[in-house]
Amino acid sequence: DADVTQTPRNRITKTGKRIMLECSQTKGHDRMYWYRQDPGLGLRLIYYSFDVKDINKGEISDGYSVSRQAQAKFSLSLESAIPNQTALYFCATTGDTDTQYFGPGTRLTVL
Amino acid sequence: AQSVTQPDIHITVSEGASLELRCNYSYGATPYLFWYVQSPGQGLQLLLKYFSGDTLVQGIKGFEAEFKRSQSSFNLRKPSVHWSDAAEYFCAVGAGDDKIIFGKGTRLHILP
């Protein structure tokens, strides 16, 4: 089984809808991250969490919120989706050495 | 501020030819450096990493990278590429605060 899972894998939604992307990990890591990937821009950090009570904004947090429900779960929400949030979203975890382990990604399309 | 530059957006090589993907970083201290690969429709997979010690690092799939402090570089190499190496490659640097910063990626195309 995969160490980092993301649901859903694909989602199409309409402008203004609330969307939640979920991430679960079995690696026992405390640190979890959400990125978005856009062609030609690489990965940009949205939010990250060092433990259940520690949530931090990343480079591009506007329009997003997160919830760390447990050590193993970290959800990303778009309160009111807009078309320029169409992207590939990745969850990642890291242990002691900064090596990040990525989920398979969620492809989100906002119409 | 920390940054990572991958100067080449696209690179095309023939199958069997050698490969070098360039990466330059900006970081004040000794960095943690990574190369990740993303195959089409897939997530990112770690190829190799450098934390300290030997500056020539061996990774999976026959890749290696060399850390050159004087040039602030961490170039990825492979002696002979295979068609299955076609993918996007990302260089990244550990930013020292439990985050890593990614370059914008280099897409590798393989000619048969």
Side-chain angles (χ1 to χ4, degrees):
Chain A
D1 290 337
D3 294 322
V4 184
T5 57
Q6 293 183 233
T7 56
R9 294 293 311 278
N10 289 281
R11 181 71 183 268
I12 300 174
T13 191
K14 295 181 179 180
T15 298
K17 295 292 187 181
R18 184 178 187 274
I19 295 297
M20 179 181 286
L21 309 182
E22 299 187 347
C23 175
S24 294
Q25 54 109 350
T26 58
K27 298 191 74 67
H29 291 162
D30 288 325
R31 288 169 281 173
M32 298 186 72
Y33 305 78
W34 275 104
Y35 295 90
R36 67 176 279 175
Q37 184 182 24
D38 300 277
L41 297 181
L43 278 78
R44 292 181 291 167
L45 183 62
I46 306 172
Y47 269 96
Y48 59 106
S49 169
F50 292 163
D51 65 36
V52 174
K53 298 180 181 180
D54 186 355
I55 305 289
N56 303 279
K57 292 183 178 181
E59 179 187 353
I60 52 163
S61 58
D62 288 348
Y64 301 94
S65 62
V66 291
S67 173
R68 185 80 183 268
Q69 302 94 325
Q71 186 203 38
K73 296 184 182 296
F74 192 36
S75 300
L76 176 72
S77 294
L78 288 68
E79 297 300 326
S80 179
I82 56 177
N84 77 359
Q85 291 177 313
T86 293
L88 190 54
Y89 290 84
F90 286 102
C91 175
T93 74
T94 188
D96 295 334
T97 59
D98 284 1
T99 301
Q100 297 207 352
Y101 299 89
F102 285 82
T106 294
R107 185 168 297 281
L108 177 66
T109 303
V110 183
L111 301 175
Chain B
Q2 300 89 353
S3 65
V4 178
T5 301
Q6 294 180 246
D8 303 304
I9 299 173
H10 294 272
I11 281 189
T12 301
V13 299
S14 298
E15 190 168 17
S18 63
L19 171 70
E20 183 169 30
L21 301 183
R22 296 182 292 164
C23 173
N24 293 97
Y25 67 90
S26 172
Y27 187 65
T30 300
Y32 291 173
L33 293 161
F34 308 85
W35 275 100
Y36 285 86
V37 61
Q38 184 181 28
S39 298
Q42 303 296 315
L44 277 76
Q45 181 184 20
L46 181 69
L47 281 176
L48 47 79
K49 59 189 177 187
Y50 170 79
F51 291 159
S52 64
D54 192 344
T55 57
L56 185 62
V57 181
Q58 302 298 320
I60 62 171
K61 305 185 180 186
F63 286 92
E64 65 178 26
E66 187 171 12
F67 169 57
K68 293 186 177 180
R69 184 188 301 277
S70 62
Q71 299 177 17
S72 297
S73 69
F74 189 56
N75 294 350
L76 182 70
R77 301 194 294 249
K78 187 170 184 178
S80 176
V81 298
H82 186 262
W83 63 266
S84 60
D85 293 324
E88 190 157 21
Y89 292 80
F90 293 94
C91 182
V93 61
D97 53 357
D98 296 313
K99 294 184 291 184
I100 64 174
I101 296 172
F102 288 86
K104 293 190 169 136
T106 297
R107 186 167 294 280
L108 176 63
H109 305 271
I110 306 295
L111 296 175

